[in-house]
Amino acid sequence: MQALYQLSYSPLFCSARFPRRRRQHYTVPGVQYQIGFRLTPVRGLMSAFVTLSAFPVFPAARRRVPVAAGACLVSFTAFWLAQRAAHVSMIDLMVYRAEGAAVRAGGDLYALRATAAHLQPTYPPFAALLFTPLTLPDTATLRTLATAGNLVLLLVFVRLSLRLAGHTRAESVWWVAAAAVWCEPVWTTLRYGQVNLLLATAVLWDLTRHAAGGRGRDRWAGTGLGLAAAVKLTPALFAVFLLITGLVARLRGGDGEPWLRHARGAAVAFAGATLLAAAVLPHDSWRFWTDAVFRSDRVGHAEEAANQALRGVLARLLHTPDPGTVWAALAAVTVAAGLAVAVAAELRGMRAWAVCCCAVTALLVSPVSWTHHWVWCVPVVLVLWTRGRRAAALGTALVFCSYVPWWVPHGAARPELHQSGAQMTLSALYAAAAALFLALARAATSLPGRRQGPGVRQAVTKE
């Protein structure tokens, strides 16, 4: 109070530059005050009425953030209690722990059968190296740490998704995270103790640090992509996307070096992590890269309702556990079309569309994309919403929050091979949402007047 009283004598309020009779907002370091009357004649009353005359009016964002953070905390707490009430096993986390134990014991990693479900390791050997610290805490502590860590990662992932979408309001991170934690891919990621949020965060961190085709040199460019691909191969498509973008930019007479440099960084990070794993685990590395990597049956049954990749959709549609060449042909067409849209968006400076197109393409063409892999629905919905596609955004959010893949019969008896038309439709909605997003992205890149990426403006001008 005394400080505010002394402040009334400062030149800030006495200077002729500041009108005295109008209501004004004057800002001092850290606090904003709203003054509604002349201060000079009432200095004698300042000490008595300082709280009325100079009550701090914080910026609107500062008032909104605590409310949003409180709502997010309530949502996360309810989520944590719901997970405990559901007695989630975090079965995948237990597999990761078993892999780490196998590495420490010098066992045969890819001969391992973990948990009562006899699950097999499916990730490259570098992932098993990263899993070794999971053997240190007991399982109860590990589950708690994994849940807390994934909730923190969700906040970071949402923040990066909003940055990708060009939305900068701080409170939005809390509100979006409070809702996103209940969508099916995020729920099942935490339910199983999966690494999806970690990998998606690494990819988004890498791709949102600079503008599309930025010219500045960055020694860390590609690191997140490369390490994510070394843990799980699906993110490698982002490096392919960057490579193709750079080559197309060059063919058009522009400067493709920023994208090519980014792709090289990802390749170097991937190679370094893979070679490190080969040096530490030579036998396991040889077995994975010459055998296990080609055996998609190690991951699970293609026809399972939880498999929302094209291969799963086709397996259920054709009533066969192996759609074979039909899937291979459709996947080839899809990856070509998806990358074409992503590259077109990137070269027009539309990185948000480009990144999400690459993500959903990778999920579609992967042999198996379990529902918890689809955490990319968060940036997809945000991009649709911020680009004015409100109906599509709400529809997509509804699909991923409806838990619809679990509405259809599923289980060890493989009832998915005998689905009706309605059941097949319900169990294909994730893939349908991805296809819709690609179509909307294609339409967005076709609109005239879009900004071109660095170096491509010159190429287009020459044409």
Side-chain angles (χ1 to χ4, degrees):
M1 298 302 180
Q2 183 64 26
L4 293 175
Y5 176 72
Q6 295 296 329
L7 183 64
S8 70
Y9 286 90
S10 73
L12 176 65
F13 294 135
C14 297
S15 172
R17 294 177 299 162
F18 291 88
R20 298 173 181 267
R21 300 205 178 264
R22 295 168 52 195
R23 180 177 295 269
Q24 299 286 340
H25 290 270
Y26 299 116
T27 303
V28 294
V31 181
Q32 183 178 6
Y33 297 90
Q34 188 178 66
I35 309 300
F37 51 85
R38 295 178 61 183
L39 287 172
T40 304
V42 294
R43 285 179 183 144
L45 300 177
M46 180 65 76
S47 59
F49 298 102
V50 67
T51 57
L52 297 177
S53 63
F55 186 83
V57 180
F58 294 99
R62 294 188 182 181
R63 293 198 303 269
R64 292 192 298 263
V65 169
V67 175
C72 185
L73 179 61
V74 170
S75 179
F76 280 11
T77 302
F79 175 89
W80 196 309
L81 294 175
Q83 292 254 314
R84 288 178 63 87
H87 302 291
V88 296
S89 64
M90 292 193 170
I91 189 170
D92 288 341
L93 181 64
M94 297 302 103
V95 176
Y96 301 157
R97 191 173 192 266
E99 291 182 40
V103 170
R104 293 186 62 184
D108 189 340
L109 180 62
Y110 294 101
L112 176 68
R113 300 294 182 272
T115 74
H118 302 288
L119 299 178
Q120 307 176 53
T122 58
Y123 297 169
F126 179 69
L129 287 181
L130 299 183
F131 294 152
T132 53
L134 302 182
T135 61
L136 300 179
D138 60 77
T139 55
T141 303
L142 180 60
R143 289 189 176 102
T144 300
L145 292 174
T147 301
N150 265 325
L151 290 175
V152 172
L153 280 171
L154 177 60
L155 287 170
V156 178
F157 183 54
V158 168
R159 176 67 185 91
L160 294 173
S161 298
L162 287 167
R163 180 193 297 178
L164 178 72
H167 189 87
T168 58
R169 293 177 63 172
E171 69 274 12
S172 297
V173 175
W174 302 101
W175 288 118
V176 173
V181 73
W182 296 98
C183 75
E184 194 273 342
V186 175
W187 168 277
T188 49
T189 287
L190 274 81
R191 174 188 176 186
Y192 296 137
Q194 264 280 343
V195 295
N196 305 302
L197 285 170
L198 176 62
L199 300 182
T201 298
V203 170
L204 269 190
W205 170 81
D206 202 332
L207 291 172
T208 58
R209 297 174 68 237
H210 300 288
R215 294 179 181 277
R217 290 187 175 275
D218 180 7
R219 70 175 64 183
W220 299 107
T223 303
L225 291 177
L227 293 179
V231 172
K232 197 171 187 176
L233 295 178
T234 309
L237 190 66
F238 286 95
V240 177
F241 150 70
L242 292 171
L243 174 63
I244 296 175
T245 303
L247 294 176
V248 172
R250 278 192 175 180
L251 289 174
R252 293 183 179 181
D255 180 15
E257 183 57 27
W259 291 285
L260 295 175
R261 184 168 58 246
H262 204 156
R264 285 196 298 269
V268 169
F270 173 80
T274 302
L275 290 174
L276 173 63
V280 178
L281 303 169
H283 172 73
D284 295 320
S285 295
W286 175 261
R287 183 170 179 183
F288 178 82
W289 293 109
T290 60
D291 178 46
V293 69
F294 302 108
R295 295 173 53 191
S296 59
D297 59 300
R298 293 175 58 88
V299 182
H301 299 282
E303 70 275 10
E304 289 188 45
N307 182 14
Q308 293 294 301
L310 287 176
R311 185 165 174 258
V313 173
L314 285 175
R316 294 186 291 272
L317 178 64
L318 301 177
H319 304 292
T320 175
D322 183 13
T325 56
V326 177
W327 165 72
L330 183 58
V333 172
T334 302
V335 74
L339 285 177
V341 176
V343 169
E346 179 77 359
L347 291 177
R348 294 171 70 86
M350 302 162 64
R351 168 151 287 190
W353 286 106
V355 170
C356 289
C357 282
C358 191
V360 299
T361 300
L363 291 168
L364 286 172
V365 302
S366 175
V368 173
S369 290
W370 303 126
T371 59
H372 53 77
H373 295 167
W374 290 78
V375 293
W376 283 95
C377 67
V378 175
V380 164
V381 170
L382 291 174
V383 168
L384 289 172
W385 183 267
T386 56
R387 296 317 186 264
R389 307 300 201 277
R390 301 296 172 85
L394 291 174
T396 302
L398 179 62
V399 166
F400 286 102
C401 291
S402 65
Y403 294 69
V404 67
W406 306 108
W407 295 3
V408 302
H410 56 277
R414 303 273 68 83
E416 296 95 332
L417 291 174
H418 309 285
Q419 288 183 345
S420 66
Q423 292 171 341
M424 283 188 285
T425 300
L426 290 174
S427 62
L429 286 184
Y430 283 19
L436 173 63
F437 182 83
L438 290 176
L440 292 173
R442 176 67 183 88
T445 60
S446 301
L447 294 177
R450 292 289 182 177
R451 180 176 65 86
Q452 301 295 322
V456 181
R457 290 193 195 91
Q458 179 183 359
V460 173
T461 301
K462 287 181 178 180
E463 293 175 357

